[in-house]
């Protein structure tokens, strides 16, 4: 309160307030320019950010995975290597599996997909069932991906033929969409036992390992630990962290937000020019007054401050109004688009609004700079003679 | 007595497009502290130019102007402002009050630039208006609600705001009827009696009757300096 009081008692602000009130309509029009500019800039930022948050939310659940596959020149990942991974801290699940391209046949129809050999309870960490149950170890049971099921019109209980062996479909998986760990939709999953019976020549090792990390923020730490453990002497495995995708999303949407804000800032630029115009007209109108002020003892600095305070005053009030309107407006808009206003209440959103307000004040000040300088440099004699 | 204003061989040339106008052509004189001097001459004789130079609103093209011993040619803009603010009170023919401010606020303005706290400057402004014989009820009026005589009284109060030793008046009665003008001249004359150095530019011979000495200008030159 003391700050506000000293601000109100400051003679520059008192003069500025009076001068702004002198041409009310003009002041309001200039303020509207700034308000629109601030709203454009901050609501664009907020919308971009909301979009990013909602997309991140839908990709968020895969960000905690590491995918490990053999490095170039290596055939497979051995039991010993999986054992080494098990000794690393911060891992929730280690899911090794074997994989090969395969034709899945139902009577005359053929679907070319992928066959997985995997533990049933491990698979349940990666994808859910739509229908039926997971396969039992040592049986001829299998589950199939969503696309396989729909292409071959499979139900639970159907029999399919893989590499000459008949497998019984006991479960159908939910549609996965794009997957970075496994690609389930076009695949058939069986136990390791069954997989070995199908492909006895392939040995005991794994083709790929998916690691689920306990804490998503520790993904990079765990990745480094695995790298340290398995690739110490020579590079035996490649490790792909799916959080790279989150980072990609982050970068992409940050650019979108900036681009949107850039478009918004054009309107702020226009507002800045209108402030420049308003202040220049005001300077011209008050030339004689500036002459009087100088004759009775105002220095260049005094005159400069008087005009800058005017611009600052206008900027602060209009930008604050713009900020408040943005909060209201974007809350409404976000509710209309996503039906979920929780995205609005994030730190970044508030930062975008603050940035809009700061830009608004800065634009006003810059717009006021030249007129203020021009006023301060007036020769008192010439200014007094001005009619 | 100490020479508060010294003018030595001053010229002032204005550039009006391609032609040069010699407003002052080698003017020299000095004014002692506490003097009441009138500068007379017909219009275009350079008397206002001379007054503006003494008031530090303008600088000579050549020659020396000293105010209280300071050569105004040799100081920068800020120092000039300081001299103007603390040594000189200006009274104009057109009163030159700020139209958006009340009479009281107009008197406060010079004190604002001198960083006098609000309460103190308000008190002093009221006292100055009272001394200038302005009815206190007019203190909150805007200039356009005041008569010419009242406006000039406000302007005189403003000129005295920072207690300057020198008061400069440029045709102070030029926009007033003779009765009101007489009142204003008596007020100015009383200031001189209180010790202010008073310099009045006029072309009205009646005003010179109040003064101790008169400087007559013609075509930018002093034609005679005397009583």
């Amino acid at each position: 309160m003391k700050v506000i009081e000293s601000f109100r008692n400051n003679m520059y602000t008192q003069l500025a307030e009076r001068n702004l009130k002198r041409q009310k309509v003009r002041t309001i029009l200039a303020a509207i320019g700034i308000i629109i500019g601030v709203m454009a800039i901050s609501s664009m930022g907020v919308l971009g950010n909301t979009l990013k948050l909602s997309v991140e939310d839908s990709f968020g659940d895969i960000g905690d995975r590491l995918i490990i596959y053999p490095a170039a020149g290596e055939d497979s990942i051995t039991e010993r290597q999986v054992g080494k991974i098990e000794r690393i801290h911060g891992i929730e699940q280690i899911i090794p599996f074997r994989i090969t391209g395969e034709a899945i046949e139902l009577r005359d129809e053929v679907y070319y997909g992928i066959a997985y050999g995997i533990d049933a309870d491990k698979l349940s960490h990666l994808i859910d069932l739509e229908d039926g149950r997971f396969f039992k170890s040592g049986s001829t049971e299998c589950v199939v991906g969503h696309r396989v099921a729909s292409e071959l019109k499979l139900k639970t209980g159907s029999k399919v033929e893989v590499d000459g062996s008949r497998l019984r479909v006991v479960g159908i998986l939910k549609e996965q969409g794009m997957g970075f760990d496994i690609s389930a939709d076009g695949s058939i999953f069986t136990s390791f036992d069954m997989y070995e019976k199908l492909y006895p020549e392939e040995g005991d090792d794994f083709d790929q390992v998916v690691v689920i990390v306990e804490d998503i923020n520790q993904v990079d730490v765990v990745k480094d630990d695995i790298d340290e453990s398995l690739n110490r002497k020579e590079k035996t495995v490649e490790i792909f962290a799916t959080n790279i995708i989150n980072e990609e999303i982050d970068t992409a949407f940050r650019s979108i937000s900036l681009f949107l804000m850039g478009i918004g800032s054009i309107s702020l630029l226009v507002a800045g020019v209108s402030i420049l115009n308003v202040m220049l007209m005001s300077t011209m109108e008050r030339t004689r007054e500036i002459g009087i002020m100088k004759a009775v003892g105002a220095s260049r600095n005094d005159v400069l401050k008087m005009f800058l305070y005017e611009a600052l005053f206008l900027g602060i009030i209009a930008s604050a109004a713009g900020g408040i309107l943005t909060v209201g407006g974007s809350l409404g808009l976000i509710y209309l688009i996503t039906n979920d206003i929780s995205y609005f209440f994030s730190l970044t959103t508030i930062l975008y609004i603050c940035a809009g307000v700061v830009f608004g004040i800065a634009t006003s000040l810059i717009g006021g700079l030249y007129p203020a300088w021009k006023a301060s440099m007036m020769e008192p004699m010439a200014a007094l003679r001005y009619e | 007595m100490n020479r508060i204003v010294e003018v030595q061989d001053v010229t002032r040339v204005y550039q009006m497009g391609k032609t040069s106008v010699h407003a002052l052509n080698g003017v020299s004189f000095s004014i002692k502290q506490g003097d009441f001097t009138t500068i007379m001459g017909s219009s275009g004789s350079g008397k206002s130019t001379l007054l503006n130079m003494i008031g530090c609103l303008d600088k000579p093209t050549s020659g020396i102007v000293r105010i209280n011993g300071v050569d105004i040619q040799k100081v920068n803009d800020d120092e000039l402002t300081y001299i103007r603010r603390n040594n000189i009170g200006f009274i104009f023919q057109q009163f030159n009050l700020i139209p958006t401010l009340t009479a009281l606020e107009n008197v406060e303005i010079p004190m604002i630039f001198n960083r006098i706290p609000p309460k103190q400057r308000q008190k002093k402004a009221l006292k100055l208006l009272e001394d200038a014989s302005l009815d206190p009820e007019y203190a909150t009026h805007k200039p356009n609600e005041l008569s010419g005589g009242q406006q000039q009284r406000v302007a005189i109060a403003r000129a005295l705001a920072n207690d300057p030793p020198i008061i400069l008046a440029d045709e102070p009665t030029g926009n007033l009827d003779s009765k009101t003008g007489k009142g204003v001249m008596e007020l100015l004359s009383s200031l001189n009696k209180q010790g202010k150095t008073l310099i009045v530019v006029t072309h009205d011979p009646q005003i010179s009757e109040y003064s101790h000495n008169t400087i007559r200008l013609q075509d930018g030159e002093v034609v005679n300096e005397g009583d």
Side-chain angles (χ1 to χ4, degrees):
Chain A
M1 287 317 284
K2 220 171 183 181
V3 178
I4 295 173
E5 202 161 291
S6 76
F7 193 66
R8 282 201 67 91
N9 277 333
N10 185 312
M11 64 110 178
Y12 297 117
T13 48
Q14 282 169 355
L15 288 172
E17 192 182 338
R18 206 185 295 266
N19 283 323
L20 287 173
K21 279 181 180 161
R22 176 148 68 171
Q23 288 280 357
K24 277 200 188 91
V25 177
R26 206 161 67 184
T27 303
I28 290 169
L29 288 177
I32 288 175
I34 289 288
I35 290 172
I36 293 174
V38 169
M39 283 181 70
I41 235 186
S42 44
S43 56
M44 289 296 183
V46 168
L47 283 184
N49 188 50
T50 307
L51 216 60
K52 185 189 108 182
L53 288 177
S54 72
V55 170
E56 253 180 11
D57 248 18
S58 41
F59 275 92
D61 52 346
I62 58 143
D64 59 352
R65 314 273 155 96
L66 292 172
I67 296 155
I68 301 161
Y69 47 91
E74 301 285 329
D75 287 339
S76 56
I77 296 171
T78 61
E79 289 269 15
R80 236 183 98 243
Q81 284 174 314
V82 174
K84 276 185 173 173
I85 297 171
E86 273 166 1
R87 285 198 287 277
I88 287 163
H89 287 287
I91 293 176
E92 191 181 294
Q93 284 290 334
I94 298 171
I95 307 167
F97 51 82
R98 301 170 68 179
I99 181 172
T100 184
E102 189 51 85
I104 304 159
E105 290 170 59
L106 178 76
R107 288 185 287 278
D108 307 336
E109 285 182 77
V110 182
Y111 184 91
Y112 292 95
I114 301 164
Y116 281 82
I118 191 167
D119 267 347
D121 26 309
K122 299 266 180 180
L123 179 62
S124 68
H125 288 291
L126 296 177
I127 190 154
D128 294 327
L129 280 169
E130 188 170 274
D131 193 20
R133 58 174 172 82
F134 283 107
F135 47 82
K136 280 183 188 136
S137 187
S139 67
T140 59
E141 292 171 351
C142 70
V143 297
V144 293
H146 192 270
R147 199 163 54 242
V148 179
S150 66
E151 291 276 323
L152 297 178
K153 297 180 189 66
L154 298 175
K155 293 192 193 73
T156 51
S158 306
K159 295 245 168 58
V160 290
E161 208 174 294
V162 174
D163 203 35
S165 304
R166 281 168 81 84
L167 299 178
R168 197 160 66 89
V169 177
V170 293
I172 290 162
L173 297 170
K174 274 195 176 153
E175 188 168 3
Q176 181 195 33
M178 187 169 55
F180 297 99
D181 38 17
I182 54 171
S183 39
D185 289 352
S187 304
I188 183 164
F189 297 85
T190 63
S191 64
F192 281 119
D193 298 335
M194 191 61 226
Y195 191 89
E196 258 165 54
K197 276 182 201 153
L198 289 173
Y199 313 104
E201 70 282 4
E202 283 198 6
D204 290 336
D205 293 339
F206 307 106
D207 294 308
Q208 223 169 318
V209 177
V210 171
V211 168
I212 301 178
V213 177
E214 276 170 7
D215 180 356
I216 192 159
N217 299 314
Q218 297 296 314
V219 170
D220 292 323
V221 177
V222 175
K223 183 185 172 191
D224 290 345
D225 287 346
I226 297 175
D227 193 50
E228 171 73 9
S229 170
L230 299 184
N231 291 336
R232 194 165 358 165
K233 282 193 201 120
E234 51 172 333
K235 198 169 178 65
T236 58
V237 297
E238 293 283 355
I239 308 164
F240 172 73
T242 49
N243 67 358
I244 285 174
I245 289 148
N246 291 35
E247 278 159 23
E248 293 286 319
I249 292 169
D250 210 60
T251 330
F253 276 92
R254 188 165 301 149
S255 327
I256 290 174
S257 283
L258 281 179
F259 173 71
L260 289 173
M261 281 176 91
I263 292 173
S265 63
I266 291 171
S267 61
L268 203 55
L269 190 74
V270 174
V273 173
S274 96
I275 294 244
L276 183 73
N277 186 26
V278 165
M279 297 286 295
L280 266 182
M281 275 168 73
S282 175
T283 318
M284 295 290 283
E285 277 169 12
R286 276 146 66 190
T287 302
R288 206 183 153 82
E289 199 177 306
I290 293 163
I292 299 169
M293 294 270 197
K294 288 200 154 187
V296 303
S299 64
R300 280 182 181 165
N301 212 355
D302 288 326
V303 176
L304 187 79
K305 274 190 196 160
M306 244 156 45
F307 277 84
L308 276 185
Y309 265 80
E310 241 177 271
L312 184 69
F313 224 65
L314 191 65
I316 290 175
I317 291 172
S319 302
I324 292 164
L325 286 173
T326 309
V327 171
S330 46
L331 265 177
L333 210 57
I334 289 169
Y335 182 74
L336 277 180
I337 295 172
T338 63
N339 265 327
D340 181 4
I341 55 165
S342 67
Y343 292 125
F344 179 80
F345 299 99
S346 75
L347 183 68
T348 8
T349 306
I350 291 156
L351 280 180
Y352 275 121
I353 292 175
C354 289
V357 172
V358 169
F359 274 126
I361 294 171
T363 307
S364 312
L365 265 183
I366 292 168
L369 211 56
Y370 172 68
W373 176 81
K374 204 178 160 188
S376 76
M377 293 308 282
M378 278 181 189
E379 287 299 329
M381 270 315 299
L384 275 172
R385 282 212 201 93
Y386 185 86
E387 290 298 329
Chain B
M1 282 277 234
N2 152 28
R3 289 174 181 181
I4 197 159
V5 175
E6 286 174 89
V7 175
Q8 277 175 29
D9 205 18
V10 162
T11 65
R12 181 68 174 94
V13 183
Y14 291 110
Q15 211 60 41
M16 303 283 256
K18 278 179 185 166
T19 56
S20 313
V21 180
H22 292 260
L24 293 175
N25 260 328
V27 173
S28 301
F29 63 87
S30 62
I31 293 171
K32 282 180 277 188
Q33 192 169 356
D35 266 3
F36 182 166
T37 308
T38 45
I39 300 172
M40 292 193 62
S42 53
S43 103
S45 61
K47 54 191 195 304
S48 288
T49 305
L50 186 57
L51 193 75
N52 289 331
M53 232 166 260
I54 297 169
C56 303
L57 292 175
D58 200 1
K59 283 183 176 181
T61 308
S62 71
I64 297 168
V65 176
R66 282 201 193 94
I67 307 296
N68 241 340
V70 179
D71 185 345
I72 68 164
Q73 194 82 306
K74 288 184 177 156
V75 298
N76 67 24
D77 196 77
D78 282 344
E79 288 164 319
L80 209 58
T81 303
Y82 183 83
I83 294 171
R84 199 154 59 214
R85 191 190 290 159
N86 292 288
N87 291 287
I88 290 152
F90 239 108
I91 297 160
F92 304 91
Q93 183 177 1
Q94 300 92 342
F95 322 130
N96 275 346
L97 299 175
I98 292 171
T100 50
L101 302 180
T102 65
L104 187 71
E105 287 165 338
N106 265 290
V107 181
E108 279 186 63
I109 286 280
M111 292 188 271
I112 285 176
F113 296 127
N114 228 0
R115 309 317 190 250
I116 309 287
K119 286 215 178 93
Q120 208 176 317
R121 65 175 189 244
Q122 259 171 29
K123 205 172 142 197
K124 185 167 181 189
L126 271 173
K127 171 82 166 58
L128 286 167
L129 284 173
E130 199 188 308
D131 290 351
S133 311
L134 188 84
D135 203 321
E137 69 169 295
Y138 292 113
T140 53
H141 284 222
K142 298 270 171 70
N144 62 4
E145 298 158 350
L146 300 173
S147 72
Q150 286 168 328
Q151 286 191 55
Q152 198 58 300
R153 284 172 191 281
V154 175
I156 292 170
R158 179 179 66 185
L160 294 168
N162 287 328
D163 296 315
I166 307 167
I167 304 289
L168 305 178
D170 190 356
E171 306 268 10
T173 59
N175 276 10
L176 304 173
D177 62 68
S178 59
K179 189 167 165 273
T180 324
K182 197 162 179 269
V184 165
M185 278 319 298
E186 270 159 17
L187 177 61
L188 287 175
S189 167
S190 75
L191 293 175
N192 173 246
K193 292 197 177 89
Q194 288 163 34
K196 303 278 186 202
T197 307
L198 192 60
I199 304 169
V200 179
V201 159
T202 187
H203 59 258
D204 180 356
Q206 278 188 314
I207 286 178
S208 62
E209 285 169 19
Y210 290 92
S211 68
H212 304 143
N213 46 13
T214 303
I215 297 161
R216 282 176 207 282
L217 283 180
Q218 199 171 12
D219 299 325
E221 285 170 43
V222 179
V223 285
N224 80 329
E225 189 184 348
D227 298 325

